[in-house]
Amino acid sequence: MNMFVINGSAGNGNALRVWKKIEPKYRQSKQPYAVCLSTSPEEAEERVKQHLEQYPNCSIIVVGGDGTIHRMLPLLASTEAALGIIPAGSGNDTARGFKLPLEPDEALKVILKANTRSVDLLHAYGTWTLTALATGFDAEVAHVVDTSWYKPWCNRLGLGSIAYLLGIVQMLIRYKPVDAVIEVDGESQHYKRVWLSAVANTSTYGGGIRICPQARSDDGQFDLCVVHRASRIKLILLLPTVLFGKHTKLRRYVEMRRGRSARIEPIHAQLTIGDGELVGRTPYTAELHAGKLRLHIPTEVL
């Protein structure tokens, strides 16, 4: 028996609206299902844990955003259960990263076809991350937006991207890059004036930004992007290229690496965002674990 996990607060109530739309259509499939309409992350985690004990081969289908998905990972990693996603958050970066439909009806079709693929997970700070671990400029943008007064208003107006543009402007004014030592698979390198470092399991994050265009979630390696040495003006000129993955050609300021283990150690502690959620402060070590999660995926992506 599959379980739907609905975060009532995701997307300013959009998850509830999406659930009311897709439930009648799922009911038509005649498949039995359970519903967890959570009032807190802790409640959702406990109910999902109990459900998995009774139905270890089920699918846990999140109707919500990246935060709810992120909290399900420790429960699903290394199990026979599969994760399904009906995007209903404000960012939906996980869905974009795995080329899942953003339209609820199309996302439900993916679930009903029951195609799954084993994908890799990143482990850091004692928990799992599915898309990317970001430190530096982009992490600070995500944090300032999530704690801002304007994000709820932008979401209500359907202008979520505007909130992130405002956050970028704030950080361009006040963010200061720092030197860092970054080690990949035992090979250490010192970087000057690091603006950001991203350990990525998928090619996109942050609303579809192609931070690591070559990254794949099933190849047993992460991709690492380090933006460094650029002046503030150069960074402003570089940022538009990141939207389309063209920044990787700017090798004076951008370095791409691949591996299974990374140590990120700036000279000053910085925030780290995993799947869009605050997971801790640097320094940290990330390990790539191959095939750790079963994920419902469109047939054409298999």
Side-chain angles (χ1 to χ4, degrees), residues 19-270:
W19 171 239
K20 290 177 181 178
K21 178 181 179 182
I22 66 168
E23 184 184 19
K25 297 178 180 180
Y26 189 83
R27 198 184 301 129
Q28 290 174 4
S29 71
K30 307 297 184 183
Q31 298 180 31
Y33 64 97
V35 178
C36 172
L37 179 56
S38 63
T39 57
S40 71
E42 294 76 18
E43 178 195 2
E45 290 165 9
E46 183 58 31
R47 290 184 60 185
V48 169
K49 182 179 179 181
Q50 294 173 1
H51 189 82
L52 289 171
E53 289 173 355
Q54 189 172 0
Y55 303 100
N57 297 304
C58 72
S59 292
I60 300 298
I61 304 159
V62 172
V63 183
D66 300 312
T68 308
I69 296 167
H70 183 75
R71 285 189 287 269
M72 294 297 107
L73 298 179
L75 302 174
L76 297 174
S78 301
T79 72
E80 293 301 314
L83 171 66
I85 300 172
I86 309 290
S90 55
N92 299 319
D93 287 329
T94 306
R96 287 188 175 91
F98 286 93
K99 298 180 175 60
L100 300 175
L102 297 181
E103 206 285 321
D105 287 350
E106 294 302 312
L108 181 62
K109 290 178 183 178
V110 173
I111 306 298
L112 291 172
K113 287 180 180 178
N115 294 314
T116 64
R117 186 180 77 192
S118 293
V119 298
D120 307 337
L121 288 177
L122 292 162
H123 192 264
Y125 297 102
T127 192
W128 299 100
T129 292
L130 181 53
T131 55
L133 291 156
T135 300
F137 180 84
D138 46 351
E140 295 290 343
V141 169
H143 182 64
V144 76
V145 171
D146 284 342
T147 57
S148 70
W149 61 267
Y150 51 78
K151 181 182 179 182
W153 288 100
C154 289
N155 286 342
R156 288 190 187 102
L157 296 171
L159 301 172
S161 59
I162 298 299
Y164 282 93
L165 286 175
L166 292 172
I168 288 172
V169 171
Q170 285 181 263
M171 286 299 106
L172 282 172
I173 294 170
R174 71 189 198 200
Y175 184 79
K176 296 180 180 179
V178 300
D179 294 358
V181 175
I182 298 178
E183 179 182 298
V184 176
D185 290 349
E187 184 179 333
S188 184
Q189 189 167 333
H190 185 273
Y191 295 89
K192 292 284 190 180
R193 292 175 54 80
V194 176
W195 284 94
L196 67 88
S197 60
V199 179
N201 191 36
T202 56
S203 60
T204 65
Y205 74 169
I209 294 173
R210 294 175 57 80
I211 191 67
C212 292
Q214 303 303 315
R216 289 182 55 89
S217 61
D218 60 355
D219 62 356
Q221 289 187 305
F222 58 72
D223 284 44
L224 168 68
C225 176
V226 183
V227 178
H228 63 117
R229 295 199 305 172
S231 67
R232 202 170 299 271
I233 296 299
K234 289 288 186 183
L235 182 74
I236 293 172
L237 296 175
L238 184 150
L239 283 175
T241 69
V242 182
L243 295 172
F244 308 101
K246 302 298 184 181
H247 61 294
T248 59
K249 298 178 180 179
L250 305 175
R251 296 183 181 178
R252 183 176 179 182
Y253 307 113
V254 179
E255 182 165 338
M256 307 298 296
R257 301 171 70 178
R258 307 192 79 218
R260 294 180 62 90
S261 175
R263 172 79 175 173
I264 312 296
E265 192 165 353
I267 60 172
H268 301 303
Q270 295 183 302

